[in-house]
Each structure stands twice: as C-alpha cells, then as structure tokens.
Amino acid sequence: MARDFYDVLGVARGASADEIQQAFRKLARKYHPDVNKSPDAEERFKEINEAYHVLHDPKQRARYDRFGEDFRKVPEGYEEMAGAGAGSFRGRGGQGFPGGFPGGGFRGRDGGEPFSWSYEGGDVDLEDLLGGMFRGGGRAGRGAGPIAGADQEAELPLSVEEAYQGGKRSITLSGAQGPRSYDVNIPAGVTDGQRIRLAGQGGQGRGNAPAGDLYLVVRLEPHHRYRVDGRHIHVALPVSPSEAALGATVPLVTPGGETKVTVPPGTSSGKRLRLRGQGMPHHRGEHGDLYAEVRIVVPRSLGDRERELYEQLAEASTFDPRSAR
C-alpha cells in the first residue's frame, strides 16, 4: 500500500500551501540524487516529488483527500455527479457506490472481462473512459517524469563594511563538478543569516526539468570596531577627560564613512549616544540606528605642563566619582 502523501512530506492534513512547499523544499534538498548518494535517495526523492505535485495542486489535493490512493482511478466529473445526488455508479452486479469509489483492483482487457459501470442507465466501459490507465496492471505515471534540480545553499562571508555598502562581488564555490564562479549583486544592508537567491544556479534538473536555485547565506565576519545586532550597529567612541567634562563635537568612523558626534557636557563612560538611521540600511523599510558608546581615555604619560594642570584641577575640584550618582 502506498504511503500517505501527507506522511511523505511530514505535514498535517490541514497544512497550508506554504507549509507544504516549505516541507517539500527541505526534503528535496536532503534527498535529491545530486546531493544525497545513498542507494534509496532517488526513490525517496521521487516519492517526495509526487506527493508535492499532488498536494500543491488544489484540485488534485481535493480528489486525494476524498478518494485516497485511488484518486487517479476516479473518472473526472464523478465528484460533481455524486455530489449532485443524480445517481451513483453501479457495478454489473447492481452494487452502488454513492458518494464514494470502490477500492480493490480492476480487471482490464488483458486480465479478463472488462469491468463496466452504469450511470443513470447508460453503460460505460471504465477502461475506455480512463484511456487504458489500468493496462499492464501498474499505477501509470507513478514516480515518472522530469525531476527538478535541487535547491542548494552556500555561506557568503562579508565584512560589516561590505554588508553595509552592498555592490557587486565575484565569488568562487567548489562543487562536485569543480569550482564555479558567480557574479553576485549584494543588496546594501544585508544582515547576518539573510539569504541571497541566485535563480537557476542550483542542482541541475533531469529530463529537461529546470535547475534548482542557489541560496547564499550571509555570514558577517567578526569586526574589531563594530558589533552588529540585527540592523543596529554598536561602536565605541573614545573621548578625552576634558571632552567628556566640557562637551565636544568629535569625529567617528562608521561603515558609511566619517561622521560627527556631539558629546554633551558631563558625559561619563558607558553612555550611549544614538545616531538615528545610521545603522544598517534597508531598501524597503527603516534603517537601523548606530549606537556610539562613550569611553573616556586618559593619556598613558603626561607632559610637564599637563601634569601641572591635572594637579591644579585635582586641588580645585570637589568632585568625588565614588559618591556621584
């Protein structure tokens, strides 16, 4: 007995079209003969392919849900005739099958007397009606036909600057048939884990079927300056003690170039200054923000005049950082 198509794809009977497509893509990538060399991979893929092509077609899915694995044996239009209450199919023995279709085998012209049906008094030869579907005793067309190429994935490492700016890039990937080069158009503002689709660049199809797609999964490389969180960028902003105390406008290097940041008077280390819209760009939505975290940096060594001034400041100041709130 054939496996249930829903079980083949691992989805519930009430699964949506999107869920069915997602399940098929996942299994197709796993079992496609181009990527899976196990002995049963091809047969498993054919089973997955057949289940998908039935369940993603609303009309075929409705017939399968009603008649099960016999849905291909049911004459076109039977649903409407049975549903309309005009009658029922009857075998020569007079047994009726209202609202459904009988299970079991059929005898064709090569296996004995043809099995005929009558509907509202008119005899119909089932083999003539179905165009010889049952000749040869097999399930015609099961697992046959072209096989679409498998979708494939590869990682695309990018620096934060490359992801921010986007642009064209040439990459070379190794495969079973040797290295292959691709020209990739990277959208500005891609984020870690985002997939870039190269249509028709995946596994080759069989029997004139289309090739699959190649998906490049973006992986942002660690950066010594920037930390990316979704579309937000975090960066340290070094300032001197006087700039933090008195306030200043200081330069800051970002993935998009140098910008100016205003440091308010009395700023302490750890304070985050938000630069709205200067994070990762988004061509269809809001850009991310850039967060500059203040870090007060003191000189490792002081000149004579600097030391003198710091000593004067220490004598004049009443500020106690340990009691400040």
Side-chain angles (χ1 to χ4, degrees):
M1 184 174 179
R3 287 182 64 195
D4 182 86
F5 286 160
Y6 292 98
D7 289 341
V8 170
L9 296 181
V11 297
R13 298 192 74 84
S16 67
D18 285 343
E19 290 171 331
I20 289 172
Q21 186 176 58
Q22 290 170 9
F24 168 72
R25 284 184 171 274
K26 180 179 179 181
L27 292 171
R29 284 196 294 268
K30 181 177 179 181
Y31 289 102
H32 197 284
D34 288 346
V35 297
N36 190 324
K37 303 305 180 185
S38 62
D40 62 341
E42 184 166 356
E43 287 304 314
R44 182 81 172 93
F45 181 80
K46 287 180 179 179
E47 185 180 46
I48 294 164
N49 198 46
E50 182 187 21
Y52 171 70
H53 280 87
V54 170
L55 297 185
H56 96 290
D57 183 316
K59 186 175 180 181
Q60 287 199 72
R61 181 179 180 181
R63 289 169 62 83
Y64 179 76
D65 287 345
R66 182 167 185 182
F67 302 111
E69 66 174 315
D70 288 326
F71 76 105
R72 289 192 179 94
K73 303 176 184 178
V74 181
E76 290 289 340
Y78 171 65
E79 298 96 326
E80 289 79 6
M81 291 187 290
S88 64
F89 284 104
R90 299 192 309 278
R92 282 189 175 162
Q95 183 179 2
F97 301 97
F101 200 77
F106 295 86
R107 289 185 299 164
R109 289 191 173 95
D110 297 331
E113 181 184 2
F115 203 125
S116 296
W117 300 89
S118 63
Y119 185 77
E120 293 189 322
D123 287 342
V124 179
D125 187 307
L126 186 62
E127 278 200 332
D128 290 339
L129 181 63
L130 299 184
M133 178 181 290
F134 304 108
R135 292 172 189 161
R139 292 183 65 184
R142 181 175 179 86
I147 300 178
D151 290 343
Q152 297 175 344
E153 285 188 354
E155 289 195 348
L156 177 61
L158 296 175
S159 68
V160 175
E161 291 90 346
E162 288 173 325
Y164 183 95
Q165 296 167 8
K168 293 193 179 227
R169 180 174 171 184
S170 181
I171 64 169
T172 301
L173 300 176
S174 59
Q177 297 166 347
R180 188 172 176 185
S181 296
Y182 304 88
D183 290 326
V184 183
N185 186 22
I186 301 171
V190 291
T191 55
D192 192 73
Q194 187 171 336
R195 301 199 306 169
I196 300 173
R197 175 175 173 250
L198 302 183
Q201 299 298 317
Q204 294 301 307
R206 297 187 179 185
N208 296 322
D213 298 332
L214 173 62
Y215 289 90
L216 300 178
V217 183
V218 172
R219 294 298 178 215
L220 294 187
E221 298 174 323
H223 200 282
H224 70 282
R225 181 190 301 273
Y226 308 114
R227 180 175 64 85
V228 180
D229 178 15
R231 294 200 171 275
H232 301 315
I233 300 174
H234 299 259
V235 61
L237 177 63
V239 299
S240 69
S242 60
E243 289 172 334
L246 303 175
T249 298
V250 298
L252 175 66
V253 177
T254 76
E258 186 175 291
T259 188
K260 298 291 186 181
V261 180
T262 299
V263 180
T267 297
S268 298
S269 281
K271 181 177 179 62
R272 291 196 311 168
L273 305 176
R274 178 186 180 190
L275 282 68
R276 186 186 296 273
Q278 294 196 38
M280 282 291 188
H282 194 322
H283 70 286
R284 290 185 300 180
E286 291 187 4
H287 295 5
D289 298 329
L290 186 143
Y291 291 91
E293 183 174 320
V294 173
R295 293 183 184 174
I296 299 175
V297 181
V298 299
R300 292 188 177 182
S301 61
L302 298 173
D304 292 341
R305 178 60 176 160
E306 288 175 317
R307 180 176 294 278
E308 181 182 348
L309 292 174
Y310 269 110
E311 289 174 348
Q312 291 178 9
L313 176 62
E315 290 178 3
S317 177
T318 59
F319 175 67
D320 182 359
R322 287 157 293 282
S323 63
R325 302 227 173 195

